[in-house]
Structures are given as structure tokens and as C-alpha cells.
PDB file of all heavy atoms in Angstrom:
ATOM      1  N   ASN A   1      -8.094 139.028 -43.924  1.00 95.00           N
ATOM      2  CA  ASN A   1      -7.854 140.389 -43.369  1.00 95.00           C
ATOM      3  C   ASN A   1      -8.784 140.711 -42.209  1.00 95.00           C
ATOM      4  O   ASN A   1      -8.497 141.534 -41.357  1.00 95.00           O
ATOM      5  CB  ASN A   1      -8.005 141.429 -44.467  1.00 95.00           C
ATOM      6  CG  ASN A   1      -6.843 141.414 -45.455  1.00 95.00           C
ATOM      7  OD1 ASN A   1      -5.755 140.951 -45.145  1.00 95.00           O
ATOM      8  ND2 ASN A   1      -7.121 141.942 -46.655  1.00 95.00           N
ATOM      9  N   ALA A   2      -9.942 139.992 -42.202  1.00 96.00           N
ATOM     10  CA  ALA A   2     -10.902 140.188 -41.098  1.00 96.00           C
ATOM     11  C   ALA A   2     -10.577 139.288 -39.936  1.00 96.00           C
ATOM     12  O   ALA A   2     -11.251 139.312 -38.886  1.00 96.00           O
ATOM     13  CB  ALA A   2     -12.327 139.895 -41.574  1.00 96.00           C
ATOM     14  N   GLY A   3      -9.510 138.450 -40.037  1.00 96.00           N
ATOM     15  CA  GLY A   3      -9.041 137.649 -38.923  1.00 96.00           C
ATOM     16  C   GLY A   3      -9.359 136.159 -38.996  1.00 96.00           C
ATOM     17  O   GLY A   3      -9.023 135.441 -38.067  1.00 96.00           O
ATOM     18  N   LEU A   4      -9.931 135.693 -40.115  1.00 98.00           N
ATOM     19  CA  LEU A   4     -10.302 134.255 -40.217  1.00 98.00           C
ATOM     20  C   LEU A   4      -9.015 133.420 -40.215  1.00 98.00           C
ATOM     21  O   LEU A   4      -8.093 133.667 -40.992  1.00 98.00           O
ATOM     22  CB  LEU A   4     -11.135 134.024 -41.446  1.00 98.00           C
ATOM     23  CG  LEU A   4     -11.848 132.688 -41.501  1.00 98.00           C
ATOM     24  CD1 LEU A   4     -12.915 132.613 -40.417  1.00 98.00           C
ATOM     25  CD2 LEU A   4     -12.514 132.475 -42.882  1.00 98.00           C
ATOM     26  N   LEU A   5      -9.002 132.399 -39.361  1.00 98.00           N
ATOM     27  CA  LEU A   5      -7.801 131.580 -39.131  1.00 98.00           C
ATOM     28  C   LEU A   5      -8.229 130.127 -39.125  1.00 98.00           C
ATOM     29  O   LEU A   5      -9.275 129.776 -38.571  1.00 98.00           O
ATOM     30  CB  LEU A   5      -7.165 131.983 -37.778  1.00 98.00           C
ATOM     31  CG  LEU A   5      -5.950 131.258 -37.274  1.00 98.00           C
ATOM     32  CD1 LEU A   5      -4.733 131.455 -38.181  1.00 98.00           C
ATOM     33  CD2 LEU A   5      -5.644 131.742 -35.819  1.00 98.00           C
ATOM     34  N   HIS A   6      -7.437 129.247 -39.760  1.00 98.00           N
ATOM     35  CA  HIS A   6      -7.778 127.852 -39.793  1.00 98.00           C
ATOM     36  C   HIS A   6      -6.584 126.957 -39.468  1.00 98.00           C
ATOM     37  O   HIS A   6      -5.469 127.429 -39.441  1.00 98.00           O
ATOM     38  CB  HIS A   6      -8.386 127.462 -41.146  1.00 98.00           C
ATOM     39  CG  HIS A   6      -7.477 127.624 -42.300  1.00 98.00           C
ATOM     40  ND1 HIS A   6      -7.269 128.836 -42.919  1.00 98.00           N
ATOM     41  CD2 HIS A   6      -6.693 126.754 -42.976  1.00 98.00           C
ATOM     42  CE1 HIS A   6      -6.371 128.703 -43.926  1.00 98.00           C
ATOM     43  NE2 HIS A   6      -5.979 127.462 -43.966  1.00 98.00           N
ATOM     44  N   ARG A   7      -6.848 125.688 -39.199  1.00 98.00           N
ATOM     45  CA  ARG A   7      -5.817 124.712 -38.799  1.00 98.00           C
ATOM     46  C   ARG A   7      -5.219 124.075 -40.044  1.00 98.00           C
ATOM     47  O   ARG A   7      -5.920 123.793 -41.038  1.00 98.00           O
ATOM     48  CB  ARG A   7      -6.402 123.680 -37.833  1.00 98.00           C
ATOM     49  CG  ARG A   7      -5.409 122.727 -37.197  1.00 98.00           C
ATOM     50  CD  ARG A   7      -6.101 121.858 -36.181  1.00 98.00           C
ATOM     51  NE  ARG A   7      -6.457 122.614 -35.001  1.00 98.00           N
ATOM     52  CZ  ARG A   7      -7.320 122.218 -34.057  1.00 98.00           C
ATOM     53  NH1 ARG A   7      -7.950 121.078 -34.241  1.00 98.00           N
ATOM     54  NH2 ARG A   7      -7.610 122.970 -33.032  1.00 98.00           N
ATOM     55  N   ALA A   8      -3.887 123.779 -39.991  1.00 98.00           N
ATOM     56  CA  ALA A   8      -3.205 123.148 -41.103  1.00 98.00           C
ATOM     57  C   ALA A   8      -2.101 122.275 -40.578  1.00 98.00           C
ATOM     58  O   ALA A   8      -1.844 122.180 -39.362  1.00 98.00           O
ATOM     59  CB  ALA A   8      -2.609 124.261 -42.007  1.00 98.00           C
ATOM     60  N   PHE A   9      -1.407 121.582 -41.471  1.00 98.00           N
ATOM     61  CA  PHE A   9      -0.242 120.796 -41.102  1.00 98.00           C
ATOM     62  C   PHE A   9       0.785 120.857 -42.225  1.00 98.00           C
ATOM     63  O   PHE A   9       0.456 121.041 -43.402  1.00 98.00           O
ATOM     64  CB  PHE A   9      -0.629 119.331 -40.800  1.00 98.00           C
ATOM     65  CG  PHE A   9      -1.085 118.557 -42.008  1.00 98.00           C
ATOM     66  CD1 PHE A   9      -0.150 117.921 -42.850  1.00 98.00           C
ATOM     67  CD2 PHE A   9      -2.393 118.485 -42.341  1.00 98.00           C
ATOM     68  CE1 PHE A   9      -0.580 117.206 -43.987  1.00 98.00           C
ATOM     69  CE2 PHE A   9      -2.850 117.781 -43.505  1.00 98.00           C
ATOM     70  CZ  PHE A   9      -1.906 117.140 -44.290  1.00 98.00           C
ATOM     71  N   SER A  10       2.033 120.652 -41.861  1.00 98.00           N
ATOM     72  CA  SER A  10       3.118 120.553 -42.827  1.00 98.00           C
ATOM     73  C   SER A  10       3.992 119.350 -42.488  1.00 98.00           C
ATOM     74  O   SER A  10       4.540 119.243 -41.379  1.00 98.00           O
ATOM     75  CB  SER A  10       4.005 121.824 -42.808  1.00 98.00           C
ATOM     76  OG  SER A  10       3.320 122.934 -43.397  1.00 98.00           O
ATOM     77  N   VAL A  11       4.101 118.431 -43.440  1.00 98.00           N
ATOM     78  CA  VAL A  11       4.916 117.218 -43.267  1.00 98.00           C
ATOM     79  C   VAL A  11       6.294 117.412 -43.920  1.00 98.00           C
ATOM     80  O   VAL A  11       6.390 117.930 -45.052  1.00 98.00           O
ATOM     81  CB  VAL A  11       4.227 115.986 -43.912  1.00 98.00           C
ATOM     82  CG1 VAL A  11       5.160 114.787 -43.900  1.00 98.00           C
ATOM     83  CG2 VAL A  11       2.921 115.676 -43.174  1.00 98.00           C
ATOM     84  N   PHE A  12       7.304 117.015 -43.209  1.00 98.00           N
ATOM     85  CA  PHE A  12       8.684 116.975 -43.716  1.00 98.00           C
ATOM     86  C   PHE A  12       9.148 115.521 -43.637  1.00 98.00           C
ATOM     87  O   PHE A  12       9.405 115.024 -42.551  1.00 98.00           O
ATOM     88  CB  PHE A  12       9.602 117.857 -42.871  1.00 98.00           C
ATOM     89  CG  PHE A  12       9.319 119.326 -42.968  1.00 98.00           C
ATOM     90  CD1 PHE A  12       8.186 119.905 -42.364  1.00 98.00           C
ATOM     91  CD2 PHE A  12      10.161 120.184 -43.702  1.00 98.00           C
ATOM     92  CE1 PHE A  12       7.904 121.258 -42.476  1.00 98.00           C
ATOM     93  CE2 PHE A  12       9.875 121.532 -43.831  1.00 98.00           C
ATOM     94  CZ  PHE A  12       8.777 122.086 -43.217  1.00 98.00           C
ATOM     95  N   LEU A  13       9.202 114.913 -44.803  1.00 99.00           N
ATOM     96  CA  LEU A  13       9.540 113.470 -44.883  1.00 99.00           C
ATOM     97  C   LEU A  13      11.009 113.331 -45.320  1.00 99.00           C
ATOM     98  O   LEU A  13      11.401 113.861 -46.365  1.00 99.00           O
ATOM     99  CB  LEU A  13       8.613 112.753 -45.855  1.00 99.00           C
ATOM    100  CG  LEU A  13       8.751 111.230 -45.942  1.00 99.00           C
ATOM    101  CD1 LEU A  13       7.418 110.599 -46.354  1.00 99.00           C
ATOM    102  CD2 LEU A  13       9.818 110.787 -46.965  1.00 99.00           C
ATOM    103  N   PHE A  14      11.797 112.644 -44.519  1.00 98.00           N
ATOM    104  CA  PHE A  14      13.234 112.438 -44.806  1.00 98.00           C
ATOM    105  C   PHE A  14      13.466 110.954 -45.125  1.00 98.00           C
ATOM    106  O   PHE A  14      12.818 110.059 -44.540  1.00 98.00           O
ATOM    107  CB  PHE A  14      14.070 112.821 -43.580  1.00 98.00           C
ATOM    108  CG  PHE A  14      13.932 114.269 -43.195  1.00 98.00           C
ATOM    109  CD1 PHE A  14      12.885 114.689 -42.366  1.00 98.00           C
ATOM    110  CD2 PHE A  14      14.843 115.212 -43.624  1.00 98.00           C
ATOM    111  CE1 PHE A  14      12.784 115.996 -41.979  1.00 98.00           C
ATOM    112  CE2 PHE A  14      14.739 116.543 -43.240  1.00 98.00           C
ATOM    113  CZ  PHE A  14      13.691 116.953 -42.423  1.00 98.00           C
ATOM    114  N   ARG A  15      14.438 110.707 -45.935  1.00 98.00           N
ATOM    115  CA  ARG A  15      14.843 109.330 -46.281  1.00 98.00           C
ATOM    116  C   ARG A  15      15.761 108.796 -45.169  1.00 98.00           C
ATOM    117  O   ARG A  15      16.737 109.406 -44.812  1.00 98.00           O
ATOM    118  CB  ARG A  15      15.545 109.315 -47.640  1.00 98.00           C
ATOM    119  CG  ARG A  15      15.679 107.938 -48.268  1.00 98.00           C
ATOM    120  CD  ARG A  15      15.937 108.016 -49.738  1.00 98.00           C
ATOM    121  NE  ARG A  15      17.099 108.853 -50.085  1.00 98.00           N
ATOM    122  CZ  ARG A  15      17.372 109.279 -51.320  1.00 98.00           C
ATOM    123  NH1 ARG A  15      16.567 108.943 -52.323  1.00 98.00           N
ATOM    124  NH2 ARG A  15      18.447 110.009 -51.558  1.00 98.00           N
ATOM    125  N   PRO A  16      15.415 107.657 -44.612  1.00 98.00           N
ATOM    126  CA  PRO A  16      16.167 107.136 -43.453  1.00 98.00           C
ATOM    127  C   PRO A  16      17.633 106.841 -43.793  1.00 98.00           C
ATOM    128  O   PRO A  16      18.497 106.918 -42.913  1.00 98.00           O
ATOM    129  CB  PRO A  16      15.429 105.854 -43.081  1.00 98.00           C
ATOM    130  CG  PRO A  16      14.061 106.030 -43.608  1.00 98.00           C
ATOM    131  CD  PRO A  16      14.198 106.825 -44.864  1.00 98.00           C
ATOM    132  N   SER A  17      17.919 106.424 -45.029  1.00 98.00           N
ATOM    133  CA  SER A  17      19.280 105.999 -45.351  1.00 98.00           C
ATOM    134  C   SER A  17      20.268 107.127 -45.361  1.00 98.00           C
ATOM    135  O   SER A  17      21.455 106.942 -45.050  1.00 98.00           O
ATOM    136  CB  SER A  17      19.295 105.280 -46.729  1.00 98.00           C
ATOM    137  OG  SER A  17      18.823 106.217 -47.740  1.00 98.00           O
ATOM    138  N   ASP A  18      19.846 108.342 -45.748  1.00 98.00           N
ATOM    139  CA  ASP A  18      20.796 109.472 -45.863  1.00 98.00           C
ATOM    140  C   ASP A  18      20.273 110.790 -45.312  1.00 98.00           C
ATOM    141  O   ASP A  18      20.979 111.810 -45.375  1.00 98.00           O
ATOM    142  CB  ASP A  18      21.199 109.645 -47.338  1.00 98.00           C
ATOM    143  CG  ASP A  18      20.043 109.859 -48.252  1.00 98.00           C
ATOM    144  OD1 ASP A  18      18.897 110.134 -47.791  1.00 98.00           O
ATOM    145  OD2 ASP A  18      20.217 109.763 -49.505  1.00 98.00           O
ATOM    146  N   GLY A  19      19.043 110.834 -44.773  1.00 98.00           N
ATOM    147  CA  GLY A  19      18.511 112.045 -44.177  1.00 98.00           C
ATOM    148  C   GLY A  19      18.147 113.139 -45.163  1.00 98.00           C
ATOM    149  O   GLY A  19      17.974 114.314 -44.776  1.00 98.00           O
ATOM    150  N   ARG A  20      17.995 112.784 -46.443  1.00 98.00           N
ATOM    151  CA  ARG A  20      17.553 113.787 -47.444  1.00 98.00           C
ATOM    152  C   ARG A  20      16.062 114.072 -47.290  1.00 98.00           C
ATOM    153  O   ARG A  20      15.284 113.185 -47.000  1.00 98.00           O
ATOM    154  CB  ARG A  20      17.886 113.324 -48.838  1.00 98.00           C
ATOM    155  CG  ARG A  20      19.363 113.377 -49.201  1.00 98.00           C
ATOM    156  CD  ARG A  20      19.622 112.776 -50.591  1.00 98.00           C
ATOM    157  NE  ARG A  20      21.017 113.021 -50.972  1.00 98.00           N
ATOM    158  CZ  ARG A  20      21.395 113.912 -51.834  1.00 98.00           C
ATOM    159  NH1 ARG A  20      20.491 114.661 -52.471  1.00 98.00           N
ATOM    160  NH2 ARG A  20      22.679 114.060 -52.121  1.00 98.00           N
ATOM    161  N   LEU A  21      15.695 115.321 -47.516  1.00 98.00           N
ATOM    162  CA  LEU A  21      14.327 115.793 -47.392  1.00 98.00           C
ATOM    163  C   LEU A  21      13.611 115.711 -48.749  1.00 98.00           C
ATOM    164  O   LEU A  21      14.133 116.143 -49.767  1.00 98.00           O
ATOM    165  CB  LEU A  21      14.319 117.217 -46.859  1.00 98.00           C
ATOM    166  CG  LEU A  21      12.993 117.950 -46.858  1.00 98.00           C
ATOM    167  CD1 LEU A  21      11.982 117.309 -45.934  1.00 98.00           C
ATOM    168  CD2 LEU A  21      13.241 119.446 -46.445  1.00 98.00           C
ATOM    169  N   LEU A  22      12.396 115.177 -48.731  1.00 98.00           N
ATOM    170  CA  LEU A  22      11.571 115.136 -49.931  1.00 98.00           C
ATOM    171  C   LEU A  22      10.821 116.445 -50.108  1.00 98.00           C
ATOM    172  O   LEU A  22      10.012 116.836 -49.250  1.00 98.00           O
ATOM    173  CB  LEU A  22      10.575 113.977 -49.856  1.00 98.00           C
ATOM    174  CG  LEU A  22       9.640 113.819 -51.019  1.00 98.00           C
ATOM    175  CD1 LEU A  22      10.393 113.529 -52.313  1.00 98.00           C
ATOM    176  CD2 LEU A  22       8.626 112.680 -50.764  1.00 98.00           C
ATOM    177  N   LEU A  23      11.096 117.141 -51.188  1.00 98.00           N
ATOM    178  CA  LEU A  23      10.384 118.361 -51.553  1.00 98.00           C
ATOM    179  C   LEU A  23       9.372 118.059 -52.652  1.00 98.00           C
ATOM    180  O   LEU A  23       9.561 117.108 -53.422  1.00 98.00           O
ATOM    181  CB  LEU A  23      11.347 119.442 -52.095  1.00 98.00           C
ATOM    182  CG  LEU A  23      12.519 119.885 -51.230  1.00 98.00           C
ATOM    183  CD1 LEU A  23      13.287 121.009 -51.966  1.00 98.00           C
ATOM    184  CD2 LEU A  23      12.036 120.358 -49.880  1.00 98.00           C
ATOM    185  N   GLN A  24       8.354 118.879 -52.739  1.00 98.00           N
ATOM    186  CA  GLN A  24       7.431 118.821 -53.850  1.00 98.00           C
ATOM    187  C   GLN A  24       7.319 120.202 -54.490  1.00 98.00           C
ATOM    188  O   GLN A  24       7.476 121.218 -53.798  1.00 98.00           O
ATOM    189  CB  GLN A  24       6.051 118.311 -53.467  1.00 98.00           C
ATOM    190  CG  GLN A  24       5.268 119.226 -52.556  1.00 98.00           C
ATOM    191  CD  GLN A  24       3.753 119.076 -52.743  1.00 98.00           C
ATOM    192  OE1 GLN A  24       3.159 119.669 -53.648  1.00 98.00           O
ATOM    193  NE2 GLN A  24       3.129 118.316 -51.799  1.00 98.00           N
ATOM    194  N   LYS A  25       7.022 120.212 -55.765  1.00 98.00           N
ATOM    195  CA  LYS A  25       6.706 121.451 -56.482  1.00 98.00           C
ATOM    196  C   LYS A  25       5.226 121.468 -56.791  1.00 98.00           C
ATOM    197  O   LYS A  25       4.720 120.536 -57.440  1.00 98.00           O
ATOM    198  CB  LYS A  25       7.511 121.587 -57.777  1.00 98.00           C
ATOM    199  CG  LYS A  25       7.396 122.943 -58.463  1.00 98.00           C
ATOM    200  CD  LYS A  25       8.317 123.022 -59.686  1.00 98.00           C
ATOM    201  CE  LYS A  25       8.242 124.441 -60.271  1.00 98.00           C
ATOM    202  NZ  LYS A  25       9.136 124.543 -61.477  1.00 98.00           N
ATOM    203  N   ARG A  26       4.497 122.435 -56.278  1.00 98.00           N
ATOM    204  CA  ARG A  26       3.095 122.493 -56.434  1.00 98.00           C
ATOM    205  C   ARG A  26       2.688 122.661 -57.906  1.00 98.00           C
ATOM    206  O   ARG A  26       3.349 123.418 -58.644  1.00 98.00           O
ATOM    207  CB  ARG A  26       2.497 123.685 -55.620  1.00 98.00           C
ATOM    208  CG  ARG A  26       2.621 123.424 -54.113  1.00 98.00           C
ATOM    209  CD  ARG A  26       2.407 124.736 -53.350  1.00 98.00           C
ATOM    210  NE  ARG A  26       1.037 125.235 -53.421  1.00 98.00           N
ATOM    211  CZ  ARG A  26       0.038 124.832 -52.643  1.00 98.00           C
ATOM    212  NH1 ARG A  26       0.244 123.925 -51.710  1.00 98.00           N
ATOM    213  NH2 ARG A  26      -1.181 125.359 -52.771  1.00 98.00           N
ATOM    214  N   ALA A  27       1.658 121.963 -58.319  1.00 98.00           N
ATOM    215  CA  ALA A  27       1.208 121.973 -59.717  1.00 98.00           C
ATOM    216  C   ALA A  27       0.741 123.360 -60.108  1.00 98.00           C
ATOM    217  O   ALA A  27       0.270 124.152 -59.280  1.00 98.00           O
ATOM    218  CB  ALA A  27       0.103 120.940 -59.903  1.00 98.00           C
ATOM    219  N   ASP A  28       0.853 123.660 -61.376  1.00 97.00           N
ATOM    220  CA  ASP A  28       0.341 124.964 -61.892  1.00 97.00           C
ATOM    221  C   ASP A  28      -1.142 125.049 -61.737  1.00 97.00           C
ATOM    222  O   ASP A  28      -1.683 126.146 -61.794  1.00 97.00           O
ATOM    223  CB  ASP A  28       0.758 125.109 -63.346  1.00 97.00           C
ATOM    224  CG  ASP A  28       2.267 125.335 -63.515  1.00 97.00           C
ATOM    225  OD1 ASP A  28       2.929 125.737 -62.535  1.00 97.00           O
ATOM    226  OD2 ASP A  28       2.785 125.072 -64.631  1.00 97.00           O
ATOM    227  N   GLU A  29      -1.835 123.915 -61.595  1.00 96.00           N
ATOM    228  CA  GLU A  29      -3.302 123.921 -61.453  1.00 96.00           C
ATOM    229  C   GLU A  29      -3.720 124.427 -60.069  1.00 96.00           C
ATOM    230  O   GLU A  29      -4.908 124.775 -59.890  1.00 96.00           O
ATOM    231  CB  GLU A  29      -3.859 122.525 -61.653  1.00 96.00           C
ATOM    232  CG  GLU A  29      -3.858 122.030 -63.100  1.00 96.00           C
ATOM    233  CD  GLU A  29      -2.525 121.481 -63.551  1.00 96.00           C
ATOM    234  OE1 GLU A  29      -1.541 121.496 -62.718  1.00 96.00           O
ATOM    235  OE2 GLU A  29      -2.424 120.989 -64.665  1.00 96.00           O
ATOM    236  N   LYS A  30      -2.847 124.466 -59.118  1.00 96.00           N
ATOM    237  CA  LYS A  30      -3.182 124.874 -57.768  1.00 96.00           C
ATOM    238  C   LYS A  30      -3.685 126.347 -57.778  1.00 96.00           C
ATOM    239  O   LYS A  30      -3.138 127.207 -58.486  1.00 96.00           O
ATOM    240  CB  LYS A  30      -1.983 124.772 -56.790  1.00 96.00           C
ATOM    241  CG  LYS A  30      -1.475 123.328 -56.694  1.00 96.00           C
ATOM    242  CD  LYS A  30      -2.385 122.446 -55.912  1.00 96.00           C
ATOM    243  CE  LYS A  30      -2.300 122.695 -54.422  1.00 96.00           C
ATOM    244  NZ  LYS A  30      -3.093 121.667 -53.649  1.00 96.00           N
ATOM    245  N   ILE A  31      -4.689 126.619 -56.985  1.00 94.00           N
ATOM    246  CA  ILE A  31      -5.270 127.973 -56.932  1.00 94.00           C
ATOM    247  C   ILE A  31      -4.400 128.909 -56.099  1.00 94.00           C
ATOM    248  O   ILE A  31      -4.215 130.070 -56.458  1.00 94.00           O
ATOM    249  CB  ILE A  31      -6.709 127.908 -56.404  1.00 94.00           C
ATOM    250  CG1 ILE A  31      -7.589 127.158 -57.424  1.00 94.00           C
ATOM    251  CG2 ILE A  31      -7.260 129.332 -56.150  1.00 94.00           C
ATOM    252  CD1 ILE A  31      -8.997 126.859 -56.980  1.00 94.00           C
ATOM    253  N   THR A  32      -3.844 128.435 -55.030  1.00 94.00           N
ATOM    254  CA  THR A  32      -2.937 129.202 -54.208  1.00 94.00           C
ATOM    255  C   THR A  32      -1.491 128.698 -54.371  1.00 94.00           C
ATOM    256  O   THR A  32      -1.240 127.512 -54.378  1.00 94.00           O
ATOM    257  CB  THR A  32      -3.329 129.140 -52.708  1.00 94.00           C
ATOM    258  OG1 THR A  32      -3.305 127.764 -52.291  1.00 94.00           O
ATOM    259  CG2 THR A  32      -4.699 129.733 -52.479  1.00 94.00           C
ATOM    260  N   PHE A  33      -0.577 129.657 -54.538  1.00 95.00           N
ATOM    261  CA  PHE A  33       0.840 129.385 -54.634  1.00 95.00           C
ATOM    262  C   PHE A  33       1.219 128.289 -55.695  1.00 95.00           C
ATOM    263  O   PHE A  33       1.945 127.335 -55.382  1.00 95.00           O
ATOM    264  CB  PHE A  33       1.407 128.979 -53.262  1.00 95.00           C
ATOM    265  CG  PHE A  33       1.044 129.978 -52.174  1.00 95.00           C
ATOM    266  CD1 PHE A  33       0.024 129.751 -51.292  1.00 95.00           C
ATOM    267  CD2 PHE A  33       1.749 131.181 -52.070  1.00 95.00           C
ATOM    268  CE1 PHE A  33      -0.313 130.659 -50.327  1.00 95.00           C
ATOM    269  CE2 PHE A  33       1.426 132.122 -51.109  1.00 95.00           C
ATOM    270  CZ  PHE A  33       0.363 131.874 -50.232  1.00 95.00           C
ATOM    271  N   PRO A  34       0.688 128.446 -56.884  1.00 96.00           N
ATOM    272  CA  PRO A  34       1.013 127.438 -57.931  1.00 96.00           C
ATOM    273  C   PRO A  34       2.464 127.514 -58.369  1.00 96.00           C
ATOM    274  O   PRO A  34       3.085 128.565 -58.322  1.00 96.00           O
ATOM    275  CB  PRO A  34       0.069 127.880 -59.095  1.00 96.00           C
ATOM    276  CG  PRO A  34      -0.131 129.331 -58.907  1.00 96.00           C
ATOM    277  CD  PRO A  34      -0.170 129.536 -57.394  1.00 96.00           C
ATOM    278  N   GLY A  35       3.016 126.353 -58.741  1.00 97.00           N
ATOM    279  CA  GLY A  35       4.352 126.282 -59.324  1.00 97.00           C
ATOM    280  C   GLY A  35       5.453 126.579 -58.353  1.00 97.00           C
ATOM    281  O   GLY A  35       6.593 126.836 -58.757  1.00 97.00           O
ATOM    282  N   MET A  36       5.213 126.484 -57.045  1.00 98.00           N
ATOM    283  CA  MET A  36       6.227 126.829 -56.066  1.00 98.00           C
ATOM    284  C   MET A  36       6.712 125.547 -55.377  1.00 98.00           C
ATOM    285  O   MET A  36       5.974 124.598 -55.102  1.00 98.00           O
ATOM    286  CB  MET A  36       5.684 127.764 -54.989  1.00 98.00           C
ATOM    287  CG  MET A  36       5.328 129.161 -55.495  1.00 98.00           C
ATOM    288  SD  MET A  36       4.908 130.291 -54.139  1.00 98.00           S
ATOM    289  CE  MET A  36       4.566 131.756 -55.049  1.00 98.00           C
ATOM    290  N   TRP A  37       8.024 125.518 -55.041  1.00 98.00           N
ATOM    291  CA  TRP A  37       8.621 124.450 -54.244  1.00 98.00           C
ATOM    292  C   TRP A  37       8.184 124.584 -52.798  1.00 98.00           C
ATOM    293  O   TRP A  37       8.032 125.698 -52.285  1.00 98.00           O
ATOM    294  CB  TRP A  37      10.125 124.450 -54.330  1.00 98.00           C
ATOM    295  CG  TRP A  37      10.661 123.975 -55.633  1.00 98.00           C
ATOM    296  CD1 TRP A  37      11.118 124.690 -56.690  1.00 98.00           C
ATOM    297  CD2 TRP A  37      10.779 122.597 -56.054  1.00 98.00           C
ATOM    298  NE1 TRP A  37      11.494 123.884 -57.737  1.00 98.00           N
ATOM    299  CE2 TRP A  37      11.327 122.586 -57.374  1.00 98.00           C
ATOM    300  CE3 TRP A  37      10.514 121.352 -55.416  1.00 98.00           C
ATOM    301  CZ2 TRP A  37      11.588 121.406 -58.048  1.00 98.00           C
ATOM    302  CZ3 TRP A  37      10.764 120.219 -56.110  1.00 98.00           C
ATOM    303  CH2 TRP A  37      11.327 120.209 -57.379  1.00 98.00           C
ATOM    304  N   THR A  38       8.022 123.438 -52.138  1.00 98.00           N
ATOM    305  CA  THR A  38       7.629 123.482 -50.732  1.00 98.00           C
ATOM    306  C   THR A  38       8.013 122.180 -50.086  1.00 98.00           C
ATOM    307  O   THR A  38       8.647 121.309 -50.705  1.00 98.00           O
ATOM    308  CB  THR A  38       6.114 123.750 -50.598  1.00 98.00           C
ATOM    309  OG1 THR A  38       5.783 124.099 -49.272  1.00 98.00           O
ATOM    310  CG2 THR A  38       5.277 122.566 -51.056  1.00 98.00           C
ATOM    311  N   ASN A  39       7.672 122.039 -48.811  1.00 98.00           N
ATOM    312  CA  ASN A  39       7.971 120.812 -48.079  1.00 98.00           C
ATOM    313  C   ASN A  39       7.152 119.661 -48.604  1.00 98.00           C
ATOM    314  O   ASN A  39       6.317 119.832 -49.537  1.00 98.00           O
ATOM    315  CB  ASN A  39       7.764 121.001 -46.562  1.00 98.00           C
ATOM    316  CG  ASN A  39       6.357 121.548 -46.242  1.00 98.00           C
ATOM    317  OD1 ASN A  39       6.116 122.758 -46.505  1.00 98.00           O
ATOM    318  ND2 ASN A  39       5.504 120.741 -45.744  1.00 98.00           N
ATOM    319  N   THR A  40       7.350 118.492 -48.040  1.00 98.00           N
ATOM    320  CA  THR A  40       6.785 117.240 -48.643  1.00 98.00           C
ATOM    321  C   THR A  40       5.283 117.318 -48.865  1.00 98.00           C
ATOM    322  O   THR A  40       4.783 116.917 -49.936  1.00 98.00           O
ATOM    323  CB  THR A  40       7.080 116.038 -47.698  1.00 98.00           C
ATOM    324  OG1 THR A  40       8.475 116.092 -47.324  1.00 98.00           O
ATOM    325  CG2 THR A  40       6.767 114.749 -48.370  1.00 98.00           C
TER     326      THR A  40
END
């Protein structure tokens, strides 16, 4: 809220044979956004 900003990355990995995207579901142990589906 005070404006602190940091650098990040998001990988989207697709299977070459059919172009399907690999998703992951974040573990319940995660401190931020636990149990949520997201990109690879």
C-alpha cells in the first residue's frame, strides 16, 4: 500500500504435440494464494 514493487515472472509451458497448457494448483502450504490454480 506504500508503493513497494518487485520483479517477478510467469511461465506458460505448452506441450509441443498438441499445444495444451500446463497448469499447477498451488499447495495449501503456500502463504499467499494457497490452493489456487495458476499458470505453469
Side-chain angles (χ1 to χ4, degrees):
N1 288 338
L4 195 65
L5 178 64
H6 62 278
R7 187 173 289 163
F9 68 87
S10 287
V11 171
F12 292 74
L13 187 152
F14 300 84
R15 195 160 54 192
S17 60
D18 56 14
R20 286 173 173 257
L21 171 63
L22 179 61
L23 303 183
Q24 67 152 279
K25 188 175 186 181
R26 292 165 67 86
D28 290 339
E29 287 83 357
K30 299 288 284 187
I31 293 172
T32 58
F33 308 100
M36 293 187 180
W37 286 101
T38 194
N39 53 287
T40 312

